[in-house]
Amino acid sequence: MNDPKINPDSIDMTRLPVHVAIIMDGNGRWARQRSMVRSEGHAEGVNSVNRITRLASDLGIRYLTLYAFSTENWKRPQAEVDTLMHLIGWTIRKETPDLVKNNVKIHLLGEIERLPEQVRNDLEAGREATRHCTGLNLNICLSYSSRWEITNAMRKIAEKVKTGTLSPEQITESTISDELSTVNIPDPDLLIRTGGEHRISNFLLWQCAYSELYFTPVLWPDFDNDCFIRALLDYQNRERRFGMTSDQVKQN
Ligand code: FPP
């Protein structure tokens, strides 16, 4: 990257996003640019996961949500899926002691039951070991897609209406939010996508209604601390209006 070095002190620590969500894209292209196989890009991507988790935790960000494996990713070649699964389980096993030391709590979002048993065991062990942690909440989305999540929520709500415990008139936005896997997690303030594409790819569609979107061409394995700080500074320059006028926001 040719961008000038960023001074972390330029961040306004009183206006940090509470929740940052990241679509980590570009591992495959990073590998291809170096004549490596795609899995080497994913392995390098894990270093970015560790680095950015550490920085988010050090900065005092409360929630970091990572899109690690989408429902659609099951359609990738079996060998790549196997490598990714292995890498995810191995990373959690290896990083759990450091996560505990840094007070980071793991949460899992998605159809975890679809993952191979060994990976589920590794994830469950990581979740259990960090259960008491009170610092950064690290939400790892695995076999996750927003439409899957919203469909599930609708089924649960329909069931309640069918059994008479809920009437259609009682359905509010919170009725829906409460049935999503992000229940009790505030909506993302900032959604970052690396790798140059400008789309949301079935990620937190309901929750990102008012998130600030930040797209960068930097490939995920190259996304370093400076890149993250640059995204935070960009976020801090935005005016979040939530449908109001600029004048109203200033008065508030
Ligand atoms: C997208 O890049 C990346 C993924 C599908 C996998 C991301 C997963 C990791 C970095 C491992 C995460 C591990 C933990 C424990 C959270 P791509 O392969 O679509 O890249 P391309 O668009 O360049 O092909």
Side-chain angles (χ1 to χ4, degrees):
M1 288 228 359
N2 294 325
D3 291 329
K5 274 267 171 220
I6 285 283
N7 177 5
D9 295 340
S10 45
I11 299 179
D12 179 348
M13 297 300 281
T14 65
R15 288 177 52 239
L16 280 176
V18 173
H19 183 173
V20 179
I22 307 185
I23 302 176
M24 310 179 286
D25 196 17
N27 295 347
R29 275 164 288 160
W30 184 93
R32 198 171 52 228
Q33 284 171 4
R34 290 161 179 76
S35 307
M36 293 172 166
V37 291
R38 294 178 58 80
S39 43
E40 289 178 270
H42 294 313
E44 195 60 35
V46 165
N47 293 334
S48 294
V49 168
N50 295 337
R51 187 167 56 225
I52 297 304
T53 302
R54 183 63 205 259
L55 179 56
S57 161
D58 287 351
L59 286 170
I61 289 172
R62 298 296 303 135
Y63 299 87
L64 177 66
T65 302
L66 302 177
Y67 204 8
F69 192 87
S70 73
T71 308
E72 290 74 24
N73 287 153
W74 289 114
K75 292 186 238 161
R76 292 195 173 197
Q78 192 57 44
E80 182 170 343
V81 170
D82 291 345
T83 307
L84 263 171
M85 287 298 141
H86 175 80
L87 201 56
I88 288 163
W90 175 82
T91 304
I92 294 298
R93 250 193 341 262
K94 185 168 140 304
E95 295 303 322
T96 293
D98 261 5
L99 294 175
V100 172
K101 205 159 70 197
N102 294 316
N103 202 17
V104 176
K105 183 171 183 170
I106 296 176
H107 303 263
L108 304 170
L109 276 57
E111 267 184 297
I112 304 302
E113 58 279 11
R114 280 188 77 178
L115 307 185
E117 192 181 355
Q118 178 60 54
V119 182
R120 273 188 278 132
N121 292 343
D122 291 335
L123 291 166
E124 197 39 58
R127 180 156 65 176
E128 192 49 44
T130 62
R131 192 176 288 279
H132 64 282
C133 295
T134 55
L136 174 72
N137 291 283
L138 175 63
N139 304 318
I140 308 174
C141 298
L142 292 160
S143 191
Y144 171 91
S145 84
S146 204
R147 287 184 176 182
W148 159 80
E149 179 185 50
I150 292 171
T151 307
N152 260 353
M154 293 308 135
R155 283 206 188 110
K156 288 185 203 151
I157 293 169
E159 199 55 44
K160 285 184 187 166
V161 172
K162 191 169 124 193
T163 56
T165 51
L166 185 72
S167 72
E169 299 72 37
Q170 286 173 317
I171 297 174
T172 62
E173 289 190 7
S174 344
T175 319
I176 297 170
S177 298
D178 288 350
E179 296 296 352
L180 301 177
S181 36
T182 47
V183 58
N184 297 329
I185 299 175
D187 288 343
D189 301 294
L190 172 64
L191 171 66
I192 298 173
R193 181 176 186 137
T194 64
E197 312 285 0
H198 294 82
R199 52 175 175 261
I200 301 186
S201 299
N202 215 349
F203 187 47
L204 302 174
L205 299 179
W206 173 273
Q207 298 87 338
C208 282
Y210 278 100
S211 304
E212 295 298 325
L213 307 183
Y214 180 86
F215 298 101
T216 168
V218 175
L219 305 176
W220 177 247
D222 289 329
F223 193 79
D224 59 14
N225 287 0
D226 275 4
C227 296
F228 190 56
I229 289 167
R230 200 168 280 119
L232 296 177
L233 289 174
D234 192 276
Y235 166 82
Q236 293 192 330
N237 278 326
R238 312 265 182 107
E239 181 183 62
R240 303 191 74 195
R241 290 198 292 273
F242 299 98
M244 292 184 285
T245 66
S246 190
D247 286 345
Q248 283 176 309
V249 172
K250 287 191 183 93
Q251 270 165 27
N252 281 342

